[in-house]
Amino acid sequence: MNNNNADNPILAFWFRRDLRLDDNTGLLRALDAGKPVLPVFIFARNILDRLEDRDDARVSFLHDRIRSLDAELCKYGSGLLVAFGNPLESWKKWQKQFGFSAVYTNRDYEPYGTKRDREVSDWLGTQGVAFHSFKDQVIFEREEVVKPDGDPYSVYTPYSRRWRARLVEEPICPKSFPTKPNLYLFKDHELPSLESMGFVRSSISIPPAEVSKDLLRNYAGHRNFPAMAGTSRLGIHLRFGTLSIRRLALEAISASDSYLNELIWREFYQMILFHHPQVTSQAFKPAYDHIAWRSDPEAFQRWTAGTTGYPFVDAGMRELAATGFQHNRVRMVTASFLTKHLLVDWRLGEAWFARKLLDFELASNNGGWQWAAGCGCDAAPYFRIFNPTSQAQKFDPKEEYVRRWVPEYGTSAYPLPIVEHTFARERVLETFKHALST
Ligand code: FAD
């Protein structure tokens, strides 16, 4: 079937990390192009097959979100065309079926997404089909915030200053979905079930895609205390675009400068990954690739299970396993503990977080891990070693967080520390010093 002809060409809009109708740049640009638009989504088999947990909460969330997007589009007589397979193969099949005259989408900056988009746009080009991509998931992308000489920044503070200056030059203007969108009328749509893709529903619940004014106003004072509900937990919504970054940034601008700083950190790490894609496998500072990491599967297993005998670390790791979330302060401590106290390669910890975090984001996760290990672009110096006990005293003074997640803490059932702090500190200092002087 080819529904397209010279008098009635249709356009495709390809949803990826922008799963919403509101303020969706690429979708709105497609709708403005004057031809009917058919929205599409691909469950990428190559990515899903690599996930280790069949009850992965992110897949349940994604599936639910695709179903509700389809329902929203149905209200306009349209729907979502969904495939489960290889992206390029899906486009080849669809192009035969629909004969799109152009494909619209929002840009993806990760190495995998960039490569996938190049392959698809190259193939569409051979068919005479234009591929239009737009900035959507960040306020400023790629080369928009660079040094005066055009080089990318590698330090956060000057980057954030320039980011804020650009905001004054280019104010944020979110746009709503039109009341009468020119969508392709599309009836026979079917969504693959979770089970048909090899998954089962997760029992982990997803935080709502909204943040209260109160939370934002109190953010600076509360954000470091993991026992409080002091942070927004919006990471998963920013990851999948179920919330517009422009609307969230406007809320931050009116209520919390400290919150805006964190959104700028997110864009800083996206910019770093875009300009330095090698960080996915190597240290940003190459000398750190000489560190003699220890191979200690048992220690790594105890870290993942939250049985290291350091209650603040264990609470964080158990929170992560049970909820898919770990508080930022605790992420810094657990990551430091793995890389410095246990001297285990940051890449193993990064992979564990990538498997378990609801808000897993390649750029921020990699940035956070390289920061904690000392090898990142704007990292803490290697000799700054978090003491997990004093971190707990400072940020969980009443032990509320620890007792919530480690009920046996203080009893004989709780393990002894896996390693003694002073010994671990000296060991890591010696190992890092040696690696960095070779
Ligand atoms: P809030 O404090 O409410 O902040 C709002 C949003 O700002 C976050 O959702 C996030 O998008 C962004 N943000 C906040 N802090 C940071 C930061 N330090 N760096 C980059 N963006 C930030 N963040 C991720 O989004 N995905 C990850 O996979 C990830 N892995 C991390 C791994 C390590 C080792 C460390 C130290 C940090 C990591 N972070 C990651 C950053 C930060 O911990 C989380 O963004 C934050 O804890 C998410 O909770 P929240 O949504 O309540 O954040």
Side-chain angles (χ1 to χ4, degrees):
M1 176 182 67
N2 185 342
N3 292 334
N4 188 18
N5 59 53
D7 302 325
N8 186 27
I10 68 171
L11 307 175
F13 173 72
W14 185 7
F15 279 107
R16 290 101 62 95
R17 326 181 17 151
D18 47 6
L19 304 178
R20 64 184 191 284
L21 300 186
D22 173 59
D23 190 39
N24 182 322
T25 314
L27 176 59
L28 293 171
R29 292 294 286 269
L31 289 169
D32 279 346
K35 296 170 188 164
V37 176
L38 175 56
V40 310
F41 180 79
I42 303 166
F43 283 105
R45 188 188 279 273
N46 44 330
I47 295 180
L48 294 181
D49 284 353
R50 277 208 313 269
L51 296 176
E52 285 166 86
D53 303 317
R54 292 299 97 190
D55 62 347
D56 192 305
R58 288 127 352 151
V59 180
S60 295
F61 171 70
L62 181 60
H63 193 264
D64 286 351
R65 188 58 203 141
I66 291 305
R67 199 170 34 211
S68 51
L69 256 186
D70 181 53
E72 285 175 57
L73 289 162
C74 276
K75 290 188 201 143
Y76 300 97
S78 187
L80 196 55
L81 174 64
V82 179
F84 170 45
N86 168 286
L88 182 58
E89 296 312 314
S90 306
W91 279 108
K92 287 184 176 169
K93 188 175 132 222
W94 285 339
Q95 192 53 26
K96 232 187 239 161
Q97 204 177 344
F98 294 95
F100 297 114
S101 58
V103 173
Y104 284 66
T105 198
N106 289 312
R107 272 195 277 285
D108 188 334
Y109 310 101
E110 291 184 2
Y112 163 78
T114 315
K115 181 166 168 277
R116 172 202 57 207
D117 288 357
R118 200 178 315 113
E119 278 169 13
V120 169
S121 72
D122 284 354
W123 181 81
L124 288 169
T126 66
Q127 308 298 301
V129 181
F131 186 84
H132 302 295
S133 68
F134 300 88
K135 173 178 78 170
D136 181 73
Q137 53 157 308
V138 287
I139 306 291
F140 296 118
E141 65 176 359
R142 306 191 296 199
E143 276 102 8
E144 287 188 311
V145 177
V146 286
K147 294 181 192 166
D149 65 5
D151 279 351
Y153 286 103
S154 54
V155 176
Y156 171 78
T157 305
Y159 170 87
S160 72
R161 247 186 252 124
R162 180 74 201 114
W163 192 101
R164 285 167 181 272
R166 278 222 62 156
L167 198 61
V168 177
E169 295 159 13
E170 257 180 66
I172 301 170
C173 303
K175 295 188 179 67
S176 300
F177 194 65
T179 44
K180 289 189 181 150
N182 185 9
L183 290 164
Y184 179 70
L185 302 181
F186 177 57
K187 295 250 175 293
D188 311 317
H189 32 116
E190 263 179 40
L191 301 183
S193 66
L194 257 188
E195 291 70 25
S196 71
M197 298 193 296
F199 288 87
V200 294
R201 180 151 293 280
S202 162
S203 56
I204 288 181
S205 56
I206 305 292
E210 58 198 24
V211 58
S212 72
K213 273 260 177 301
D214 264 1
L215 187 141
L216 290 179
R217 273 194 221 106
N218 295 322
Y219 182 76
H222 292 176
R223 60 181 289 260
N224 267 310
F225 298 92
M228 302 180 84
T231 70
S232 67
R233 305 207 173 195
L234 287 177
I236 186 168
H237 297 291
L238 292 173
R239 171 67 184 81
F240 288 102
T242 36
L243 180 71
S244 151
I245 182 64
R246 284 168 294 283
R247 294 214 190 272
L248 184 61
L250 282 181
E251 288 193 51
I253 290 165
S254 72
S256 170
D257 201 50
S258 158
Y259 192 85
L260 185 64
N261 267 336
E262 299 310 319
L263 299 181
I264 304 175
W265 268 108
R266 172 176 172 268
E267 303 208 351
F268 175 71
Y269 282 136
Q270 297 231 18
M271 178 278 299
I272 291 287
L273 177 62
F274 177 79
H275 289 285
H276 308 276
Q278 78 280 5
V279 294
T280 56
S281 56
Q282 297 164 28
F284 184 90
K285 295 181 188 147
Y288 283 73
D289 279 331
H290 298 135
I291 292 165
W293 301 109
R294 293 169 60 244
S295 166
D296 189 342
E298 194 203 322
F300 182 70
Q301 194 280 329
R302 283 183 63 179
W303 177 79
T304 61
T307 55
T308 66
Y310 281 89
F312 202 52
V313 173
D314 292 342
M317 297 311 293
R318 295 185 197 188
E319 178 184 32
L320 176 62
T323 66
F325 182 77
Q326 190 181 103
H327 188 277
N328 180 60
R329 168 60 47 186
V330 188
R331 288 185 207 197
M332 294 194 283
V333 175
T334 58
S336 167
F337 189 83
L338 183 73
T339 52
K340 304 226 167 126
H341 283 72
L342 299 181
L343 208 52
V344 168
D345 193 332
W346 58 271
R347 282 160 278 232
L348 291 179
E350 183 196 17
W352 183 256
F353 272 27
R355 176 171 168 184
K356 294 292 169 193
L357 278 175
L358 286 179
D359 64 32
F360 164 60
E361 166 86 74
L362 179 58
S364 301
N365 194 39
N366 180 272
W369 274 95
Q370 294 225 26
W371 179 89
C375 57
C377 49
D378 194 3
Y382 77 85
F383 45 82
R384 180 172 165 204
I385 295 158
F386 277 123
N387 178 332
T389 309
S390 49
Q391 286 286 308
Q393 284 159 356
K394 198 162 169 197
F395 297 109
D396 188 31
K398 295 187 191 148
E399 297 183 339
E400 291 162 279
Y401 178 69
V402 159
R403 297 202 177 270
R404 187 182 304 159
W405 292 107
V406 191
E408 82 279 22
Y409 170 57
T411 73
S412 59
Y414 188 62
L416 292 172
I418 188 170
V419 66
E420 198 261 318
H421 173 70
T422 312
F423 163 80
R425 193 184 139 75
E426 279 160 18
R427 177 173 67 181
V428 70
L429 286 176
E430 192 50 41
T431 309
F432 273 50
K433 204 172 355 162
H434 179 72
L436 298 179
S437 61
T438 50

